[in-house]
Amino acid sequence: MERVYENRFAQTMAMDQDLTLTFNERSAGSIVLFLEGQCQEMTLHLEAKSACHAKVFIQNCMEHEVQLKLTANIASDANLECGLLDMQNQPCHLDLQGHLNQQGANMDFSIAQLCLSDIEKKSNLDITSHVSHTYGNMHNFAVVFDGGKYEMVASGRIVKGAYASESHQETRVLTMGSNHKCVTLPILYIDEDDVKASHALSVGQPDAEQLYYLNSRGLTMRQAIGLLSVGYFKPILELIEDEQLKAKIEQETEERVGMYEH
């Protein structure tokens, strides 16, 4: 299925099959996608034409294992902001291929995942600057509970000739307990001198003093952990422009991490 957007746009819809979204020149708006249905493998292709500004928020709502292949082509002076929120208690594998094809192309991608016991989450992310003056950013957030399996490989690429381009990564993983598997590999492939590139990585357990403070204020351990966890998921919600829908998904996120449990 293919959808084409022009001028100003805003849409919320279910995605239960392969989908192509094309944002025409100088268009601007936001899309909210809910992954649903019976398919175990789906492909989402995003085509950002010149000078468009598109926000795409994706939430995994699958009740079974899913593999999502996400590809994106970004043209001159186009700005594509895209993110995946995955709170499901099911395996999820994501493959991202972002291509900055013309000068001024900008892609900002975020992923936030909850990884519970015996559940495997894998992400293979790649954003490539093919020409000069392009900008790629990745933000990777995860909360991994005891027994969870989390693997993330993020590659920022600047090829020869793509001078004055930028590639940046931010990865934050909160881990619970000791019986989990957590592999994070931020990678920069840089084949040009005049560029800006960086990656920041933090992996660790909740601060004991923070937990003690929250416990002393009447929160249970589960509520305290949930409060610390939810901060890893809220940034991606900024992709949603509908304030009512944002508030609804934020509350669902808080419930998933146990903020309201007694």
Side-chain angles (χ1 to χ4, degrees):
M1 182 171 65
E2 181 177 7
R3 294 180 181 269
V4 180
Y5 298 91
E6 299 183 3
N7 303 318
R8 293 290 304 178
F9 59 85
Q11 187 172 18
T12 299
M13 61 181 177
M15 176 181 167
D16 57 5
Q17 59 181 306
D18 292 350
L19 178 64
T20 296
L21 303 180
T22 299
F23 307 105
N24 277 346
E25 294 181 2
R26 301 186 182 281
S27 62
S30 63
I31 303 292
V32 175
L33 296 175
F34 296 108
L35 300 185
E36 300 177 353
Q38 302 302 314
C39 293
Q40 291 188 323
E41 297 182 8
M42 284 195 291
T43 298
L44 173 62
H45 179 69
L46 306 175
E47 196 75 28
K49 302 293 186 179
S50 297
C52 76
H53 187 176
K55 294 183 179 181
V56 181
F57 173 84
I58 309 161
Q59 183 174 7
N60 179 21
C61 301
M62 292 291 198
E63 297 298 334
H64 54 76
E65 180 176 354
V66 63
Q67 295 185 13
L68 176 63
K69 182 178 181 181
L70 173 58
T71 60
N73 289 324
I74 298 92
S76 60
D77 300 317
N79 187 355
L80 176 64
E81 299 178 66
C82 181
L84 171 68
L85 175 65
D86 172 30
M87 304 288 291
Q88 293 299 93
N89 190 20
Q90 298 290 337
C92 178
H93 297 177
L94 170 67
D95 182 80
L96 165 70
Q97 297 290 326
H99 300 283
L100 306 172
N101 295 323
Q102 296 177 352
Q103 290 189 1
N106 187 336
M107 182 175 185
D108 195 301
F109 180 80
S110 301
I111 182 171
Q113 291 186 298
L114 177 65
C115 190
L116 299 174
S117 180
D118 298 324
I119 299 301
E120 183 179 65
K121 304 291 176 82
K122 283 188 175 183
S123 301
N124 189 0
L125 316 175
D126 191 301
I127 297 180
T128 301
S129 293
H130 294 282
V131 299
S132 64
H133 298 90
T134 55
Y135 312 92
N137 292 279
M138 287 181 274
H139 313 277
N140 314 304
F141 305 108
V143 177
V144 184
F145 280 84
D146 207 30
K149 302 177 180 66
Y150 175 75
E151 181 177 320
M152 186 281 301
V153 179
S155 302
R157 301 175 188 268
I158 299 179
V159 304
K160 189 67 175 177
Y163 57 87
S165 291
E166 297 187 22
S167 179
H168 302 287
Q169 298 180 32
E170 173 192 12
T171 301
R172 296 175 59 206
V173 182
L174 183 66
T175 61
M176 310 292 180
S178 57
N179 186 30
H180 60 264
K181 177 183 177 182
C182 183
V183 179
T184 56
L185 294 175
I187 304 172
L188 294 171
Y189 295 100
I190 309 300
D191 199 20
E192 186 59 68
D193 293 328
D194 180 19
V195 300
K196 294 181 180 179
S198 66
H199 65 73
L201 170 65
S202 66
V203 179
Q205 298 192 355
D207 185 88
E209 292 186 3
Q210 286 181 319
L211 290 176
Y212 176 78
Y213 175 83
L214 295 173
N215 290 155
S216 70
R217 294 301 184 269
L219 296 183
T220 67
M221 182 61 71
R222 178 62 171 160
Q223 289 172 330
I225 291 174
L227 184 60
L228 296 177
S229 299
V230 78
Y232 285 70
F233 301 107
K234 282 191 175 181
I236 199 171
L237 301 182
E238 295 305 312
L239 289 171
I240 305 173
E241 295 189 344
D242 184 324
E243 292 298 327
Q244 186 174 357
L245 179 59
K246 182 192 295 185
K248 178 178 181 294
I249 295 177
E250 182 175 340
Q251 181 174 347
E252 293 173 353
T253 301
E254 293 172 349
E255 292 173 352
R256 287 276 186 171
V257 297
M259 280 185 59
Y260 305 134
E261 293 185 9
H262 297 288

